[in-house]
Amino acid sequence: MERRTILKAAGASAAVLGLGATTGCGGGSGAGDGTVTIRYSWWGAEERAKRINRTITLFEKKYPKIKVKTDFQTYQSFWEKFQTQASGGNPPDVFQNAVTFLRKYDKRGILLDLRPQVDAGHLNLDDFRAGVTEVGEVDGKQLGVPVGSNTMALVIDKKLWRKAGVEPHAGWTWDDFFKALKTIRDRTGVPGDTGYFGIMYLYDLYLRQNGKAFFTEDGLGFDRADLTEWWQDGYNRVRAGIVTDPKVVAQDLPKSSLSAGHGASEFTWDNFTVRYHSEGDSTYGLAPIPTTDGRHTGQYLASLMLSASARTAHPEEVARFIDFMVHDPEVGRIMGYDRGILAGTEQYDAFKPADEINKEIARYEADTAEAGVLGTITPHPSGADTVEAAFLRIGGDLGLGKVKVSDAVKQFFDESQAAFQA
């Protein structure tokens, strides 16, 4: 449930900052003096908007003939608006993107292949941390360039775990994890986890640990028996009281039940750790992902990225904008880890976190990489965004007791099949 929760908490309207929504037809516009205007859209919170607008000021100073019009939304509102713009042939020239959407919009001819701009020298794909640029590749095309990377982690309430006398450790198994949750509940009265079974990306890691994956290039990489086992197990743990009651989770929104004190741990992306420190009054930290075999976590680096519209009238200017945003050291210092650990090596080296929260995030990702457990991200087929939303919604209904496990599994597979065929 973390994506909906985080973004609902982080979202803000453009009006808060006085940022007007962009208008216009087709790609960017041009002026008689050679000045062109490109449109840039993203999702996120007020703080992200403030940081991005500072970086745009730097870009326009370096490239005075390129002006940038901005627009930002909450996550859900962003994609609703983008879908309307794309259907009308008027998507923004450059926009924030994620792997879930690459094949969907590539299939519809929306995304610009940036490879020709790389070959022309307008965009540099060197000087990135190992493996991150591959996230934006689809069938030999470079459809996105990463601005930051992250990986799934377990965030824990350190005070509750210490009070219960349990400690997470690298290589621990799912059995170890579930025993810890029960011990926490028994000794503190607080459920050990806020709802692991409803998180699609965590289930993907579990599947990868067992030789499967959530997605293949054209569909699902698991069967109904696999999902039945996962959801039944999760539902049983809710009923046993070691996982937070989903009704409580819903009541805690927009706060997380972890920061509200109604759960002792929560799986989420490592760079989201900042939210718990701002919401809660305990001490929070990052812990390793439980494993099946005592070693392989199934983890990979995911990435927020910048993509461009295939309809842009200014592909060179868009490429130069992306290049600046992913390589300029001052941009890295301004953005910090707002969108994940900085992907470009120049920006990564330029930003030195001063606070303990971001230092811990950096250490966690570095330690995970050094452990040699990171793999390649699972491909996301067209329709993956709809499937992810279905997993979240149906898993939530299951936890609330609105639907039986067997019916939930059937509903999920039916909706997934329809999404892939759309």
Side-chain angles (χ1 to χ4, degrees), residues 164-372:
V166 291
E167 184 175 351
H169 58 275
W172 65 335
T173 65
W174 287 99
D175 285 343
D176 295 331
F177 172 67
F178 291 130
K179 288 178 182 176
L181 300 191
K182 185 176 184 303
T183 300
I184 291 168
R185 193 280 313 274
D186 291 346
R187 295 181 179 177
T188 70
V190 178
D193 183 78
T194 64
Y196 70 93
F197 61 91
I199 303 172
M200 188 198 84
Y201 287 97
L202 178 65
Y203 186 43
D204 186 28
L205 300 194
Y206 178 79
L207 289 167
R208 288 161 64 95
Q209 291 176 16
N210 289 278
K212 298 187 178 184
F214 196 97
F215 289 120
T216 65
E217 290 189 4
D218 55 8
L220 298 174
F222 59 98
D223 58 30
R224 296 181 185 224
D226 294 323
L227 183 56
T228 298
E229 180 181 26
W230 178 258
W231 270 349
Q232 185 65 63
D233 180 80
Y235 182 60
N236 290 345
R237 296 184 196 282
V238 170
R239 295 181 65 187
I242 68 171
V243 171
T244 310
D245 185 336
K247 294 185 180 69
V248 175
V249 174
Q251 291 167 359
D252 286 334
L253 292 175
K255 291 181 67 171
S256 160
S257 287
L258 173 60
S259 48
H262 298 145
S265 67
E266 184 163 287
F267 289 95
T268 187
W269 298 105
D270 55 7
N271 65 305
F272 286 176
T273 308
V274 176
R275 86 165 290 200
Y276 304 102
H277 293 269
S278 63
E279 287 183 353
D281 56 7
S282 188
T283 304
Y284 307 95
L286 292 166
I289 296 291
T291 69
T292 298
D293 63 2
R295 171 169 171 74
H296 296 97
T297 62
Q299 286 169 281
Y300 47 79
L301 290 180
S303 174
L304 280 183
M305 62 190 79
L306 296 181
S307 292
S309 165
R311 295 179 63 91
T312 182
H314 307 292
E316 178 181 335
E317 287 82 359
V318 164
R320 293 191 185 281
F321 176 78
I322 294 175
D323 186 81
F324 183 84
M325 289 299 171
V326 299
H327 291 300
D328 183 81
E330 184 59 24
V331 170
R333 282 188 281 268
I334 291 171
M335 294 306 302
Y337 294 161
D338 179 85
R339 296 176 297 191
I341 306 298
L342 292 156
T345 53
E346 296 160 290
Q347 293 187 346
Y348 181 83
D349 292 339
F351 176 69
K352 301 300 181 185
D355 61 288
E356 285 305 315
I357 301 170
N358 280 304
K359 285 181 180 179
E360 183 173 9
I361 294 169
R363 282 195 302 268
Y364 180 84
E365 203 155 304
D367 290 346
T368 302
E370 291 174 6

Side-chain angles (χ1 to χ4, degrees), residues 19-30:
L19 299 173
T22 58
T23 58
C25 298
S29 59

Side-chain angles (χ1 to χ4, degrees), residues 68-224:
V68 184
K69 295 183 73 173
T70 63
D71 184 21
F72 87 103
Q73 317 279 331
T74 61
Y75 179 82
Q76 182 176 350
S77 297
F78 173 90
W79 286 111
E80 289 173 352
K81 183 172 183 177
F82 184 86
Q83 173 70 26
T84 300
Q85 292 173 322
S87 298
N90 186 36
D93 295 276
V94 60
F95 52 94
Q96 189 170 284
N97 204 356
V99 66
T100 309
F101 301 90
L102 290 181
R103 289 185 181 274
K104 173 177 181 175
Y105 287 110
D106 179 46
K107 180 181 177 181
R108 301 181 186 182
I110 306 292
L111 302 182
L112 178 69
D113 180 8
L114 293 164
R115 186 67 60 182
Q117 296 301 319
V118 176
D119 296 338
H122 304 144
L123 174 60
N124 174 24
L125 285 186
D126 296 325
D127 303 317
F128 281 94
R129 294 168 56 218
V132 295
T133 57
E134 298 170 5
V135 179
E137 295 178 9
V138 173
D139 301 330
K141 294 175 286 188
Q142 193 73 42
L143 301 180
V145 180
V147 292
S149 67
N150 54 11
T151 191
M152 286 295 293
L154 177 66
V155 182
I156 66 169
D157 183 324
K158 291 183 177 180
K159 291 182 179 178
L160 284 174
W161 283 66
R162 281 197 296 266
K163 183 177 180 180
V166 291
E167 184 175 351
H169 58 275
W172 65 335
T173 65
W174 287 99
D175 285 343
D176 295 331
F177 172 67
F178 291 130
K179 288 178 182 176
L181 300 191
K182 185 176 184 303
T183 300
I184 291 168
R185 193 280 313 274
D186 291 346
R187 295 181 179 177
T188 70
V190 178
D193 183 78
T194 64
Y196 70 93
F197 61 91
I199 303 172
M200 188 198 84
Y201 287 97
L202 178 65
Y203 186 43
D204 186 28
L205 300 194
Y206 178 79
L207 289 167
R208 288 161 64 95
Q209 291 176 16
N210 289 278
K212 298 187 178 184
F214 196 97
F215 289 120
T216 65
E217 290 189 4
D218 55 8
L220 298 174
F222 59 98
D223 58 30
R224 296 181 185 224

